[in-house]
Amino acid sequence: MALKFQCANDQPYQLDAINAIADLFEDQQFRTSQFTAGDTAQMMIDQQHATYKNSTLGIGFANDLRVSERRLADGLHTIQERNCLPKTQVLTDGRLRDFTVEMETGTGKTYVYIRTIYELHKRYGLTKFIIVVPSVAIREGVKKSFETMKEHFNTLYDGTPLDYFVYDSNNMGPVANFAMSSSIQVMIINIGAFNKAFDKDGESDKSNLFHRKSEKLAGGRSPQEMVSECRPLVIIDEPQSVDNTAKAKKAIKSLNPLFVLRYSATHKEKYNIVYRLTPVDAFQEHLVKGICVDSVLSQANLNGAYVRLDSVSKNPYRAKVTLDVKQKDGSQKRKSVQVKAGQDLYERSGYNTDYQAGWVVNNIDAAEGMESIEFQNGDYLELGESKGDVDETLIKRAQIRRTIEDHLETQLQMWPRGVKVLSLFFIDKVSKYREYLDDGTADGEYARMFDEEYTNLVSSNKWQHRYQKAGIPLIADPKRVRTGYFSEDKKKRYKDTIGSTAADTDTFQLIMQKKETLISFPDGKDEDRDYSFIFSHSALKEGWDNPNVFQICTLVETRDTMTKRQKVGRGLRLCVNQEGQRCFEPEANTLTVIANESYKDFAHGLQSEFEQSGFRFGALAPESFTNLHVIDKNGEETEQLFGFDNSKAVYDHLADSGLIAKNGEITETLKTQVKDSTLELPEEFEPMRDQIEQVIAHMAEKLPVKNKAEEVNVEVNPQAEQNQAFRELWERIRPRTKFELNVNSDLLVERSIEYIQEMEKVRPVEIHSYRSDLDIDDAGIAAGEARMAVVDTSEGLHYNLPDPIRELQDVVGLTRKTLKRILEGCGRLDEFTVDPVTFITQVAACIQKAKRVVLPKGITYSKLPEEEWYKVNILSPAGMKGYLDQNAFRPSHLDKWLFDYVVYDSVTVERPFARQLDRADNVLFCAKLPSSFTVDTPFGSYNPDWAYVEEQGGSQKVYFVIETKGGKNGLATTRPEEQSKIDCARIHFKLLAQDHPDLEYDVQSLYDKVMK
């Protein structure tokens, strides 16, 4: 049976990104309009009243909107506040048109905008969408996503029909259907397919086929005229590479977009950002694989002349070279120095005699693609090349061998999870993998190295024994496990590539077609299933990836054009098992980069690339605290957000106190004050201290890149199995339970009414009208700059009102009887007719809040039969790894820990807690509970953090299960969503304590507030 990718539909961060766009338009009045395909003027006809006597007319369907600019701006600012973003109102062609979603690579950006298409259709009836992409690679990836996700979205949206196609200038049929169909239509198009009608300044210069009139389309229109009539909602994938010129911006405008949604991890122009998932968020919340660097380095050989060309520049011509510079004490140190034509390296090296033999700079070439330096002795170096170092081929061989070793180790760990492991080699010359000779073909240098190293490793007793013991097949023939992804010429020969030719299109199609096959276990029939090592051209650096890439090794000879971010991007997605399901456990998701540089250099370089793309590490902004929850007079968190004004007041206080620099950079003093809880805040913000400190601690984090040299395998401590305290603890916590809900309807109604009465007043929608001229030129017809006016609606707006109870039932899941009581008792039902959508949205949020408060009060737990209780084998770490001084430490008192290393999730809360447990003499046993140990609740599975046994009074033992949360003075802080699960967990453990009164469950920030 063929493997199929399964999509999760409940990832909170993806839902947040989808709702950030969908919620923007809640107060706007969408409708369906129609137009005649034979006429250039659009007919704004209400669909339900449209009748046509002439059946030969081609009728097209378009998106339409009566827009309230003020309400759209208000909605934008509300969403920006909700997502902790700065308030903006960036206009395009005089109107609020463009909105930005920023999501880190590997977190499901394509899934998010495809699902957003369905959601916008469901909520507002929008049907026409155009996805604009920068490259063939991304285009093929988007097309593949529609194919693999079709069944998922059919289930999620009750079979809502959606047609998608890749624009092809040789086939006008799909374009005609795009305009004439009333169902959801999605066109995927390269920017290069329709921006060629414009010169570099965005002016018309005789159109290409997209802008040229065609007899194959109704009325002899051009594809541009047909799609622009539809007022499509345009989605730009990677806008920094799509509309980054005046020419491209004019092309986007020619589509006459209703709105433009922009999705990327690295935006250059941030038009009204509504959602942001930062690199730190993605890594810390385990939404992508963690990154580990396995450095393959040779020791510096200081004997003889060593020269490496690091960089060149012109105006004036200069070069940076690395030399062995003689020190005052006679030793040598490898340093980078700047040189110009005519300079002698003997002098620049501190008169190191190794450089006396003609090492005088003869010429520096700074032309792009020709960067090089030449010396009088005849030596010549291109950018990145070195002379006098350890033989480069030895380093490449070591990288290949290390990649195979890491691969074999990872596959051992991932096989029990049903995950096939892939490793990826990037090379810049096809001849290194395959050579074409007059008498046939031969393996290239890297292919030969791989075959030799693979054969030596898999035939060794070490790997033979380990794989046989685990029952995992180990393919002996290296040629069966490796393959190449390269473009081919007309003779079917691999060739070097630039990543954007027609041949590259075929390559990307091959990659996408085999995506599922590659992650399928070998079956002895399909040879493509045997492949687990992939050699690919470094030019194919974006637009494709595979979730089961666990090792990436770059084998380039001179000029590495791939950024570190592009490299890791090929394998960041969470891995997939043989059922096509994502594995979300952090311990199952680590991407290892086999690098010919130190861990520190790689980590620093990767972080620098993030910073160059606009992300700021270790810095605050005036909006950093906007989405914190206000603390009420009882010290409890509310649904009310802290807001922009309060957030800026905190930021200004920190700036005035000298705790942040002018650019918002967090100082070491501020870090220390947060760590020691000595930060001084204005009195009015004191109740918010814990949340404010948590934000500062989070924003101070650097990019979490792990060092392979510090990697440790986490195993069950053999001493723990003999620990009597552990056995006693396990017997107390291993029972599993099921829950039943006995909801106090009166209390639920009472709380819901209370929250509804406190919600913001629902106001009428403001109506704006727009007038624009038509620009008619050789490129086609496009709307000119719009002018806006407010429409007088003195008699009010009238809607076809939906059934509010039915609408609420779909969202909150309560009975009609209960909802009727809530609506009749809230005293706000008259606002429903003012703006039905806003009213239902706000009321639903209030009811959900009431459910979180009331449901735990009516929950009861009962034990499952003993045969269904947890078995001790669930505590096995199953290949868990830790990284010393980054997320793990070796405990001082190993005899009382379940595992031989303690792995923690946070340095601000969990690490101090674990250290205190380790040092406490009265703690007899302790463990970080694995993610497989959960309690079922109505709000999702709950995994407590710690379990430990404490001796009290010299003989009495107390058994604890603990949740650790940030807080101050021993008082933990929890969010409402977290608190609901915790409230249920208390009831679960209270049931278990009936048989064992010495079992306690609690939430703590410190084990002992005295022990810091």
Side-chain angles (χ1 to χ4, degrees):
M1 182 176 178
L3 185 151
K4 290 184 179 180
F5 285 114
Q6 305 296 318
C7 298
N9 62 10
D10 58 352
Q11 295 300 296
Y13 71 96
Q14 293 180 339
L15 296 177
D16 288 344
I18 293 163
N19 288 326
I21 292 294
D23 292 350
L24 268 173
F25 309 118
E26 278 185 351
D27 296 329
Q28 309 305 320
Q29 300 303 301
F30 288 88
R31 60 178 184 170
T32 301
S33 69
Q34 298 177 351
F35 61 93
T36 56
D39 190 355
T40 58
Q42 185 167 338
M43 298 171 56
M44 310 300 287
I45 302 173
D46 213 326
Q47 184 181 0
Q48 60 183 346
H49 297 119
T51 58
Y52 297 93
K53 294 182 180 180
N54 187 350
S55 61
T56 62
L57 278 176
I59 305 302
F61 294 85
N63 298 326
D64 189 28
L65 170 69
R66 290 174 178 169
V67 66
S68 164
E69 197 80 10
R70 181 184 65 80
R71 294 301 294 270
L72 185 58
D74 288 347
L76 168 64
H77 295 158
T78 297
I79 291 166
Q80 288 174 328
E81 183 176 84
R82 182 173 84 196
N83 292 324
C84 216
L85 297 164
K87 281 185 179 180
T88 59
Q89 194 168 343
V90 180
L91 304 182
T92 306
D93 298 327
R95 68 186 181 97
L96 197 54
R97 189 198 75 172
D98 290 57
F99 304 97
T100 295
V101 172
E102 185 174 303
M103 295 181 67
E104 185 49 37
T105 301
T107 57
K109 165 174 57 73
T110 308
Y111 174 89
V112 164
Y113 68 64
I114 293 177
R115 184 165 172 180
T116 299
I117 290 173
Y118 280 95
E119 194 66 25
L120 291 174
H121 173 75
K122 177 183 177 181
R123 296 195 195 185
Y124 312 116
L126 298 178
T127 58
K128 303 302 170 73
F129 300 85
I130 297 178
I131 300 173
V132 185
V133 300
S135 66
V136 169
I138 294 177
R139 188 191 73 191
E140 292 303 314
V142 172
K143 178 185 174 185
K144 180 66 175 181
S145 294
F146 272 100
E147 293 173 0
T148 58
M149 297 175 188
K150 181 177 181 180
E151 186 175 331
H152 169 78
F153 287 123
N154 278 341
T155 302
L156 202 58
Y157 289 92
D158 298 324
T160 298
L162 179 148
D163 297 322
Y164 64 89
F165 67 99
V166 171
Y167 170 74
D168 181 354
S169 60
N170 295 317
N171 184 6
M172 291 292 107
V175 176
N177 188 62
F178 180 91
M180 314 296 274
S181 174
S182 61
S183 63
I184 305 176
Q185 297 293 309
V186 181
M187 179 168 74
I188 310 166
I189 186 169
N190 289 54
I191 183 64
F194 69 105
N195 71 345
K196 296 174 184 175
F198 307 98
D199 64 19
K200 64 181 181 179
D201 297 318
E203 298 299 324
S204 174
D205 69 351
K206 302 298 181 182
S207 61
N208 67 349
L209 292 178
F210 186 78
H211 297 269
R212 190 179 302 166
K213 294 183 181 296
S214 171
E215 295 180 356
K216 298 178 181 179
L217 294 174
R221 296 188 178 190
S222 69
Q224 178 270 331
E225 289 174 321
M226 288 293 284
V227 300
S228 65
E229 288 271 27
C230 298
R231 296 203 69 193
L233 193 145
V234 174
I235 294 171
I236 303 182
D237 194 331
E238 308 295 354
Q240 73 279 2
S241 301
V242 169
D243 68 338
N244 54 357
T245 64
K247 177 180 176 180
K249 292 180 190 299
K250 180 83 173 185
I252 296 295
K253 183 179 179 180
S254 75
L255 299 176
N256 190 26
L258 184 67
F259 292 107
V260 177
L261 310 181
R262 314 163 72 82
Y263 293 80
S264 177
T266 54
H267 293 275
K268 289 185 178 178
E269 296 179 278
K270 298 186 179 180
Y271 298 78
N272 305 309
I273 185 165
V274 295
Y275 180 80
R276 172 183 290 148
L277 181 67
T278 71
V280 171
D281 291 334
F283 285 112
Q284 288 189 344
E285 296 174 22
H286 307 298
L287 307 179
V288 294
K289 289 193 185 87
I291 299 176
C292 176
V293 179
D294 193 353
S295 297
V296 178
L297 295 170
S298 63
Q299 291 183 337
N301 183 1
L302 300 176
N303 300 299
Y306 171 80
V307 185
R308 184 181 73 228
L309 178 59
D310 299 323
S311 65
V312 296
S313 61
K314 53 186 175 181
N315 298 326
Y317 281 89
R318 294 286 188 271
K320 276 191 176 181
V321 294
T322 297
L323 309 173
D324 293 335
V325 179
K326 189 174 182 180
Q327 305 299 295
K328 290 181 180 180
D329 61 1
S331 64
Q332 296 181 25
K333 187 174 183 180
R334 194 154 285 182
K335 290 184 176 181
S336 180
V337 300
Q338 185 168 274
V339 297
K340 59 184 179 180
Q343 283 194 319
D344 192 337
L345 298 192
Y346 174 57
E347 177 185 348
R348 299 294 287 142
S349 66
Y351 302 101
N352 184 343
T353 56
D354 291 336
Y355 297 95
Q356 284 182 318
W359 285 99
V360 178
V361 178
N362 195 41
N363 183 55
I364 297 172
D365 192 341
E368 185 175 353
M370 302 292 292
E371 299 94 335
S372 59
I373 188 170
E374 186 178 357
F375 299 94
Q376 288 184 3
N377 62 8
D379 280 297
Y380 168 85
L381 296 174
E382 292 185 354
L383 189 64
E385 275 190 324
S386 61
K387 180 178 178 62
D389 201 5
V390 175
D391 188 349
E392 192 170 307
T393 59
L394 295 179
I395 297 175
K396 301 303 183 189
R397 180 178 288 273
Q399 284 184 270
I400 291 172
R401 180 180 180 87
R402 190 61 180 164
T403 302
I404 298 170
E405 289 177 323
D406 287 343
H407 177 105
L408 293 173
E409 183 67 45
T410 305
Q411 186 60 85
L412 272 174
Q413 298 162 8
M414 299 307 298
W415 185 273
R417 298 177 184 270
V419 174
K420 179 185 172 184
V421 171
L422 303 177
S423 291
L424 177 62
F425 295 95
F426 275 117
I427 65 176
D428 60 353
K429 292 183 180 179
V430 169
S431 60
K432 292 292 184 179
Y433 183 78
R434 178 76 50 81
E435 291 182 299
Y436 294 93
L437 310 174
D438 293 339
D439 57 349
T441 63
D443 286 329
E445 180 183 5
Y446 293 155
R448 294 195 300 272
M449 285 183 186
F450 175 88
D451 290 355
E452 292 165 4
E453 296 300 328
Y454 181 87
T455 300
N456 289 337
L457 285 168
V458 300
S459 61
S460 68
N461 290 333
K462 171 186 175 180
W463 294 109
Q464 287 280 341
H465 174 72
R466 294 184 69 189
Y467 269 66
Q468 288 174 4
K469 184 178 179 181
I472 304 174
L474 189 57
I475 298 175
D477 183 357
K479 291 181 171 56
R480 283 178 55 193
V481 298
R482 65 169 167 88
T483 188
Y485 279 161
F486 306 104
S487 297
E488 296 179 340
D489 60 20
K490 294 180 180 180
K491 297 181 179 180
K492 296 298 180 181
R493 292 182 173 186
Y494 289 152
K495 66 171 188 174
D496 291 328
T497 182
I498 60 174
S500 59
T501 66
D504 299 326
T505 301
D506 297 334
T507 306
F508 286 120
Q509 288 174 342
L510 174 67
I511 293 171
M512 296 304 171
Q513 289 167 1
K514 292 190 176 183
K515 202 168 186 178
E516 293 92 343
T517 304
L518 275 175
I519 66 173
S520 300
F521 282 150
D523 61 357
K525 301 175 182 177
D526 186 346
E527 65 178 17
D528 289 337
R529 286 176 171 238
D530 292 344
Y531 297 138
S532 53
F533 296 88
I534 304 164
F535 286 79
S536 181
H537 202 290
S538 57
L540 308 182
K541 58 191 176 186
E542 62 178 10
W544 75 274
D545 55 20
N546 192 296
N548 286 15
V549 169
F550 284 86
Q551 286 75 225
I552 291 179
C553 178
T554 304
L555 302 171
V556 292
E557 290 189 320
T558 55
R559 189 178 295 104
D560 189 354
T561 60
M562 289 189 72
T563 67
K564 291 176 171 60
R565 200 170 184 184
Q566 288 171 331
K567 293 173 187 174
V568 301
R570 301 314 101 219
L572 278 182
R573 295 189 191 278
L574 301 181
C575 62
V576 173
N577 64 20
Q578 297 304 290
E579 283 70 49
Q581 300 168 334
R582 297 275 178 195
C583 297
F584 294 101
E585 298 88 342
E587 57 268 22
N589 286 284
T590 298
L591 173 67
T592 300
V593 179
I594 293 83
N596 183 20
E597 60 183 319
S598 72
Y599 153 74
K600 287 185 177 180
D601 287 344
F602 185 93
H604 176 73
L606 181 59
Q607 182 161 311
S608 295
E609 289 177 12
F610 279 111
E611 290 171 339
Q612 289 167 11
S613 68
F615 182 78
R616 297 168 63 213
F617 290 91
L620 295 170
E623 66 276 3
S624 292
F625 309 99
T626 58
N627 66 349
L628 302 183
H629 289 262
V630 172
I631 305 296
D632 64 18
K633 59 185 178 182
N634 299 318
E636 296 182 358
E637 284 192 7
T638 68
E639 295 291 330
Q640 181 183 350
L641 297 182
F642 199 43
F644 284 107
D645 293 340
N646 286 329
S647 178
K648 188 175 186 304
V650 173
Y651 179 88
D652 290 342
H653 167 76
L654 297 174
D656 293 342
S657 302
L659 298 174
I660 55 176
K662 288 183 179 180
N663 62 355
E665 184 178 353
I666 297 170
T667 64
E668 290 300 322
T669 302
L670 179 54
K671 293 179 186 178
T672 301
Q673 289 186 7
V674 168
K675 181 180 178 181
D676 297 340
S677 295
T678 58
L679 174 64
E680 293 185 4
L681 291 172
E683 184 177 351
E684 64 269 28
F685 299 138
E686 190 62 35
M688 303 292 295
R689 167 181 292 278
D690 294 334
Q691 293 185 65
I692 290 171
E693 290 182 340
Q694 287 179 44
V695 169
I696 296 171
H698 174 72
M699 298 299 288
E701 292 288 332
K702 299 293 185 181
L703 196 65
V705 179
K706 307 296 191 301
N707 185 357
K708 183 75 172 182
E710 300 296 332
E711 183 181 87
V712 293
N713 293 315
V714 181
E715 304 287 350
V716 172
N717 178 11
Q719 300 176 58
E721 299 176 1
Q722 309 304 319
N723 190 314
Q724 183 63 27
F726 161 66
R727 295 179 180 180
E728 294 168 354
L729 172 65
W730 181 241
E731 284 305 310
R732 284 161 173 76
I733 67 175
R734 64 183 289 257
R736 297 181 63 205
T737 60
K738 63 179 180 179
F739 66 83
E740 293 183 2
L741 287 174
N742 299 296
V743 181
N744 184 334
S745 297
D746 292 338
L747 182 59
L748 179 59
V749 170
E750 179 184 334
R751 286 282 186 272
S752 297
I753 290 173
E754 176 186 334
Y755 297 143
I756 292 170
Q757 290 174 341
E758 295 173 353
M759 74 183 190
E760 291 185 7
K761 183 177 178 61
V762 179
R763 295 180 173 84
V765 174
E766 182 183 81
I767 302 300
H768 288 184
S769 69
Y770 288 86
R771 177 190 296 271
S772 63
D773 299 323
L774 294 180
D775 295 334
I776 303 176
D777 55 23
D778 291 336
I781 301 173
E785 185 173 341
R787 299 179 293 279
M788 183 271 289
V790 178
V791 179
D792 182 10
T793 56
S794 56
E795 296 184 2
L797 294 169
H798 301 280
Y799 306 100
N800 293 321
L801 296 175
D803 177 359
I805 295 180
R806 185 179 63 192
E807 295 291 323
L808 286 169
Q809 269 189 304
D810 292 341
V811 179
V812 302
L814 299 182
T815 65
R816 290 186 63 87
K817 180 180 178 182
T818 301
L819 290 172
K820 185 172 183 290
R821 290 176 61 193
I822 293 172
L823 292 176
E824 289 177 345
C826 70
R828 303 282 296 270
L829 189 56
D830 58 323
E831 296 176 35
F832 172 62
T833 59
V834 174
D835 186 346
V837 172
T838 299
F839 178 84
I840 289 170
T841 301
Q842 292 184 185
V843 168
C846 293
I847 295 174
Q848 296 285 32
K849 178 181 176 181
K851 285 175 62 179
R852 288 197 296 269
V853 174
V854 174
L855 259 58
K857 298 181 185 298
I859 195 171
T860 58
Y861 280 90
S862 58
K863 290 183 182 179
L864 293 171
E866 186 170 353
E867 58 267 21
E868 297 184 41
W869 292 3
Y870 282 121
K871 305 296 189 294
V872 73
N873 60 359
I874 72 146
L875 298 177
S876 172
M880 183 189 302
K881 295 182 182 297
Y883 298 87
L884 297 177
D885 298 325
Q886 291 184 286
N887 74 334
F889 67 87
R890 181 81 165 182
S892 301
H893 303 281
L894 181 60
D895 57 315
K896 68 180 183 183
W897 284 91
L898 178 61
F899 303 127
D900 55 356
Y901 290 92
V902 180
V903 178
Y904 47 85
D905 294 329
S906 70
V907 297
T908 56
V909 178
E910 289 200 355
R911 183 172 65 183
F913 190 89
R915 292 284 191 188
Q916 291 166 357
L917 288 177
D918 189 41
R919 295 197 302 263
D921 291 336
N922 59 328
V923 172
L924 305 179
F925 175 83
C926 42
K928 179 76 163 65
L929 290 170
S931 58
S932 54
F933 184 90
T934 60
V935 176
D936 288 335
T937 82
F939 308 99
S941 296
Y942 164 71
N943 169 226
D945 291 322
W946 306 92
Y948 63 90
V949 182
E950 185 179 279
E951 187 176 55
Q952 297 180 354
S955 59
Q956 182 184 359
K957 295 178 184 176
V958 181
Y959 304 84
F960 290 94
V961 178
I962 296 296
E963 176 74 20
T964 43
K965 294 294 179 186
K968 182 186 177 187
N969 297 328
L971 299 176
T973 301
T974 57
R975 292 289 175 88
E977 298 82 359
E978 299 169 332
Q979 190 61 50
S980 299
K981 289 185 178 182
I982 289 170
D983 290 341
C984 294
R986 289 189 189 278
I987 300 169
H988 162 86
F989 285 108
K990 186 176 180 180
L991 171 67
L992 303 192
Q994 290 179 1
D995 294 330
H996 300 282
D998 51 8
L999 176 64
E1000 296 186 14
Y1001 170 80
D1002 201 1
V1003 181
Q1004 296 181 7
S1005 57
L1006 296 170
Y1007 168 67
D1008 185 340
K1009 62 184 179 182
V1010 177
M1011 298 177 62
K1012 289 190 178 180

